[in-house]
Every structure is written in structure tokens, then in C-alpha cells.
């Protein structure tokens, strides 16, 4: 948490991550600060024989002149990458959601779930299509739509258990209470299969 306030929505729920070098509004997802730069670079050898750069982060809040890397070639890279990731996620959510005939409210909610997953780094190491499907299924569960995880699995042509694992991680890590499906609904068969695989 920070004493900063988002210029876009006015929220004071700001996630400042010194390691990533950014400050992000947790309400609307705006990147408030992403030009924290490295003032001193040192390369060290890692255990696997590779190398990594280490240095000290210098925030724009610290004042003074900010040193730059070469010809400012890297300026704004984080924002562009994040914007592109969210744009691609929105397109994928809309495409998959329209195939399931989901309304705009559900698609917007799924995108918000995706933004939350992105903030908590839950998208790293996972296929984007699996995260998108899990976000849509979270909406199906929270909104009570008649869609099953098997529907998403069929459209994407991926194993239902792989999607189920991603769904369970997202619902747990994002603290989203996905209501259980009724025992007599056809969707419960897919969810029962999912839990029996664990």
C-alpha cells in the first residue's frame, strides 16, 4: 500500500513493487510509475552458469536527475508490454466469450479477473489461453451461468484437468469464492471429474 492516489480513478489502493520497479492501481489497473531505473549495473554469474544483471533501483520520487540507459531505447517498455498483454487478453476473452454467447458484463468481469491475475503474477508460466479460460469460468461460477469447464475445454481443444488446475489456482490466489455447482446440474459432472483428478 502507498500514500499515492491514482490519477485515473482516484483510488488509494496502489501496489508499489520495488523489485519490479512499478506502482500500479489495484482498482483500475493503471500503471502510475514504471520508469524506475537502474543507476548502477553489475553482472553476476548464476548457479547454472548463466549471468544476470543486478543494480540499485532509483525511483522518480527520489528527485534529482534520472540517469538513462544509452539513448533511452528502453523507456516505456513495461507499459507497452502490459498494454499489449491486456489488449491481447481482452481480444481472447471476447472471442472465447462470444463463442459461449456470454454477455458484455461477463466479458468485462473476466477481463477484471485477468487483470488481477496479472497483478499477482499468476499469468507467468501459464498458457494465456488457459488463464483466459479460467477467468471466463470464474465468471461462469460467480454469475451462475450454465457453462461447464468442459465447454471451454472443447472449444480450446485442451485437457479439462489442465484448465481445472489453472481455475483452482486463480480462484484460491485471487480469493474469489466460486460457488459450488448444484449436485443435480449437468455441470457438476465436469467439476466432480476435476476434483477427483487431484
Amino acid at each position: 500500500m502507498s500514500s499515492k492516489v491514482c490519477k485515473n480513478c482516484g483510488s488509494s489502493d496502489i501496489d508499489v513493487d520495488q523489485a519490479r520497479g512499478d506502482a500500479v492501481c489495484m482498482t483500475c489497473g493503471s500503471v502510475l510509475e514504471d520508469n524506475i531505473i537502474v543507476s548502477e549495473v553489475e553482472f553476476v554469474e548464476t548457479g547454472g552458469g548463466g549471468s544476470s544483471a543486478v543494480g540499485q533501483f532509483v525511483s522518480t520520487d527520489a528527485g534529482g536527475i534520472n540517469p538513462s540507459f544509452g539513448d533511452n531505447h528502453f523507456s516505456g517498455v513495461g507499459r507497452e508490454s502490459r498494454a499489449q498483454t491486456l489488449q491481447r487478453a481482452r481480444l481472447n476473452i471476447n472471442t472465447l466469450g462470444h463463442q459461449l454467447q456470454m454477455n458484455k458484463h461477463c466479458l468485462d468481469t473476466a477481463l477484471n479477473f485477468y487483470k488481477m491475475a496479472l497483478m499477482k503474477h499468476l499469468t507467468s508460466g501459464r498458457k494465456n489461453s488457459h488463464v483466459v479460460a479460467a477467468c471466463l469460468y470464474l465468471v461462469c461460477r460467480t454469475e451462475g451461468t450454465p457453462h461447464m469447464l468442459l465447454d471451454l475445454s472443447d472449444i480450446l481443444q485442451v485437457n479439462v484437468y489442465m484448465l481445472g488446475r489453472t481455475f483452482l489456482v486463480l480462484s484460491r490466489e485471487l480469493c474469489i469464492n466460486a460457488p459450488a455447482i448444484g449436485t443435480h446440474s449437468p455441470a457438476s459432472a465436469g467439476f466432480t471429474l476435476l476434483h477427483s483428478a487431484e
Side-chain angles (χ1 to χ4, degrees):
M1 296 296 282
S2 168
S3 62
K4 295 178 186 244
V5 175
C6 178
K7 296 173 187 171
N8 295 323
C9 69
S11 171
S12 60
D13 186 11
I14 308 298
D15 177 35
V16 178
D17 190 328
Q18 299 297 332
R20 283 192 328 257
D22 64 9
V24 179
C25 176
M26 296 301 287
T27 303
C28 70
S30 296
V31 178
L32 305 178
E33 182 179 357
D34 69 343
N35 56 348
I36 296 176
I37 56 174
V38 178
S39 62
E40 193 176 294
V41 180
E42 178 184 338
F43 292 93
V44 295
E45 189 172 335
T46 61
S51 64
S52 65
V54 295
Q56 178 182 358
F57 288 105
V58 179
S59 171
T60 55
D61 292 343
I65 299 172
N66 293 326
S68 63
F69 258 149
D71 59 354
N72 291 330
H73 179 69
F74 297 107
S75 64
V77 170
R79 181 178 296 137
E80 286 178 28
S81 174
R82 180 178 168 73
Q84 288 172 349
T85 299
L86 288 174
Q87 184 177 9
R88 187 171 46 249
R90 174 175 283 135
L91 177 66
N92 292 339
I93 286 170
N94 287 340
T95 301
L96 189 55
H98 284 122
Q99 288 178 314
L100 295 170
Q101 299 178 347
M102 296 175 79
N103 63 32
K104 184 176 182 337
H105 167 73
C106 290
L107 300 180
D108 291 343
T109 305
L111 183 62
N112 286 335
F113 286 157
Y114 188 92
K115 287 178 183 178
M116 292 167 60
L118 188 62
M119 287 292 163
K120 292 193 169 227
H121 307 288
L122 300 175
T123 58
S124 298
R126 292 184 172 84
K127 287 190 174 184
N128 191 49
S129 60
H130 294 186
V131 176
V132 164
C135 289
L136 282 166
Y137 189 60
L138 272 171
V139 173
C140 293
R141 293 286 295 276
T142 57
E143 296 290 323
T145 69
H147 303 96
M148 298 185 297
L149 192 59
L150 289 171
D151 298 331
L152 294 157
S153 171
D154 286 345
I155 292 171
L156 294 175
Q157 294 295 298
V158 291
N159 186 311
V160 69
Y161 298 113
M162 293 173 75
L163 291 182
R165 280 188 215 104
T166 305
F167 161 74
L168 290 173
V169 167
L170 291 186
S171 63
R172 181 182 67 238
E173 294 297 321
L174 298 178
C175 301
I176 296 171
N177 183 19
I181 298 173
T183 55
H184 298 295
S185 77
S188 64
F191 195 67
T192 305
L193 283 173
L194 170 65
H195 280 295
S196 65
E198 292 184 350

